[in-house]
Amino acid sequence: MIRFDDRRGFALPVAVFSLVVVGVLVTGGFYMARQETRIGIASEKGTTAFYLAERGVNDVLEGWRAPAFGRLEPQQSTTVSDTLDDGYYDVTVTKLSDWIFMLDSRGTVTQGGAMLNGASRRVGTVAKIRTLDMRPPAALTTVGGLNIGGSSQVFGQDLIPGAWGLDYCDPEFLADAPGVMIDDAAEVTYQGSNHELDGTPPIAEDPTLTSDDLLTFGSLAWNELVALATVQIPASTTISVTEPDSLPVGTRWVCNTANAYNWGDPYNPDAVCGNHFPVIHAVGDLKIQSGYSGQGILLVEGDLSLNGGYTFFGPVVVRGTVSTAGTGGHFFGGLIAANVELSTTTVLGDALVQFSSCAVTRALLNNAALAMASPLPERSWVDLSNLAN
């Protein structure tokens, strides 16, 4: 019998195959571990980027830059940026209308070096401006008594100031108001026949109207409002000049808002002080004898007397009475004389009281002390991370 004893070994191929299998398993293990690590880091960085983006939105809303954002044209944008420990954010603020803004915030992580950063997230928020309910009910609102004479004019037709035009005011929102609102129409007296009084209607009577009503603005009382004033004028002051004031900062000029007698630049809305609308509080009686002009919100603790043709754009609220004489004073916005002591408000001379919702709106929206922004109550937030740049 012939026997073939073939003892060629198979141990070496098995060993090599085993090493290959072990190598694949080890390599796969390392790969999976690395992937898990990278996924974890990516998830962490993505979350951090998301919070950076939200931080940007919150910072912009909290520190709302009313004058800068109010200066934007509809559909025009500006960017607010800041750098934090983990990275930075860029918030693009786009003006959709006078009251509505879109905030597109991108958060980018830089912590961890070149191999571990790069995460970026975007969030969008639609915000609406909230401000005081200070729309005057008429061109001139008062209680207790009113005397109109001379060549004075009181008009309730809603008007856009000529220096501003359609670039700053939307005619769609104009709505005429009464020329005069008073608690008792029988208390309106006249001197001569050269005066003009018009509106829708020329005189509106509200027997329930009181001084307290005229000194309450939404949920804000008079004392709370004057606490927000950015300019304080001493009692019994006579003002002869208010004019724009600017300072050089680097290569540009900026409005000097620290000057108590810089009341903006109403006839040059594109100038550096064109969007400066201070809240001015006169702590007692105030007399303005000047041919200059100003804008903002004027609050007078006592009586207000005007002469010289001074022109003011924005709401004016006086706890006492208002008197004009000679070339008088010119008001664009709305004049409220609360008449706490129930004296008679006198509008004589060449005074003009012109209702303008545009002047009131601009004074409120462009005032950092009064204008605030908050997300819309519903559907104001969206994740924009997956949109193309």
Side-chain angles (χ1 to χ4, degrees):
M1 177 182 295
I2 301 175
R3 300 178 60 189
F4 297 93
D5 191 5
D6 189 353
R7 294 179 175 270
R8 286 180 297 178
F10 63 87
L12 181 59
V14 170
V16 172
F17 179 75
S18 299
L19 290 174
V20 171
V21 171
V22 171
V24 169
L25 292 175
V26 171
T27 301
F30 276 118
Y31 178 79
M32 292 179 65
R34 179 176 174 81
Q35 287 298 100
E36 287 292 329
T37 301
R38 296 182 65 177
I39 291 172
I41 292 175
S43 177
E44 178 187 354
K45 299 301 180 183
T47 301
T48 302
F50 173 81
Y51 287 127
L52 283 173
E54 284 217 318
R55 168 72 179 272
V57 170
N58 292 334
D59 284 356
V60 170
L61 292 177
E62 183 178 355
W64 189 253
R65 304 177 184 178
F69 299 150
R71 192 179 296 116
L72 298 174
E73 298 289 337
Q75 307 307 318
Q76 188 178 5
S77 301
T78 187
T79 300
V80 178
S81 302
D82 195 11
T83 300
L84 306 172
D85 292 339
D86 296 327
Y88 62 91
Y89 62 72
D90 297 304
V91 183
T92 301
V93 181
T94 303
K95 184 178 184 179
L96 304 181
S97 71
D98 284 340
W99 299 91
I100 305 295
F101 288 78
M102 173 69 182
L103 279 61
D104 183 350
S105 179
R106 178 185 294 275
T108 302
V109 176
T110 56
Q111 186 185 45
M115 295 299 294
L116 297 178
N117 68 19
S120 182
R121 294 287 298 272
R122 286 174 64 193
V123 298
T125 299
V126 180
K128 183 177 182 179
I129 305 301
R130 296 181 293 110
T131 188
L132 295 182
D133 182 10
M134 283 195 70
R135 179 185 170 94
L140 194 163
T141 307
T142 190
V143 295
L146 173 63
N147 183 24
I148 301 176
S151 299
S152 61
Q153 300 172 312
V154 180
F155 294 138
Q157 289 81 7
D158 202 352
L159 177 142
I160 297 175
W164 300 352
L166 300 182
D167 291 337
Y168 292 88
C169 305
D170 190 341
E172 179 181 351
F173 298 104
L174 298 182
D176 293 343
V180 170
M181 173 75 76
I182 193 168
D183 58 327
D184 184 358
E187 294 298 323
V188 180
T189 59
Y190 307 93
Q191 293 186 25
S193 59
N194 292 328
H195 58 269
E196 294 184 66
L197 172 58
D198 200 2
T200 310
I203 299 179
E205 181 182 82
D206 182 359
T208 67
L209 198 63
T210 67
S211 297
D212 288 340
D213 295 331
L214 301 184
L215 296 175
T216 303
F217 312 93
S219 60
L220 213 62
W222 172 262
N223 290 338
E224 295 171 308
L225 176 59
V226 299
L228 299 174
T230 54
V231 173
Q232 297 285 346
I233 304 297
S236 302
T237 295
T238 298
I239 295 178
S240 58
V241 176
T242 65
E243 57 185 350
D245 183 21
S246 56
L247 296 170
V249 176
T251 59
R252 61 192 183 96
W253 290 81
V254 299
C255 189
N256 180 15
T257 58
N259 183 343
Y261 296 98
N262 173 13
W263 293 6
D265 197 350
Y267 289 109
N268 298 286
D270 292 329
V272 293
C273 290
N275 267 43
H276 179 46
F277 289 82
V279 180
I280 306 149
H281 177 217
V283 298
D285 293 343
L286 175 64
K287 183 176 182 180
I288 302 179
Q289 188 168 349
S290 167
Y292 285 77
S293 62
Q295 62 186 12
I297 299 172
L298 179 59
L299 310 171
V300 181
E301 202 75 43
D303 298 333
L304 174 64
S305 172
L306 289 98
N307 199 351
Y310 188 83
T311 304
F312 191 84
F313 296 79
V316 177
V317 185
V318 181
R319 282 179 60 93
T321 63
V322 177
S323 61
T324 66
T327 49
H330 300 160
F331 301 92
F332 286 86
L335 173 60
I336 296 175
N339 226 341
V340 173
E341 296 181 356
L342 297 182
S343 300
T344 298
T345 289
T346 304
V347 181
L348 299 174
D350 293 327
L352 169 65
V353 184
Q354 173 68 62
F355 182 74
S356 175
S357 62
C358 171
V360 174
T361 298
R362 286 199 69 206
L364 294 173
L365 292 182
N366 292 285
N367 196 295
L370 302 179
M372 299 160 283
S374 61
L376 293 179
E378 298 179 1
R379 301 182 180 179
S380 65
W381 182 92
V382 63
D383 189 344
L384 303 175
S385 302
N386 294 326
L387 294 182
N389 293 332

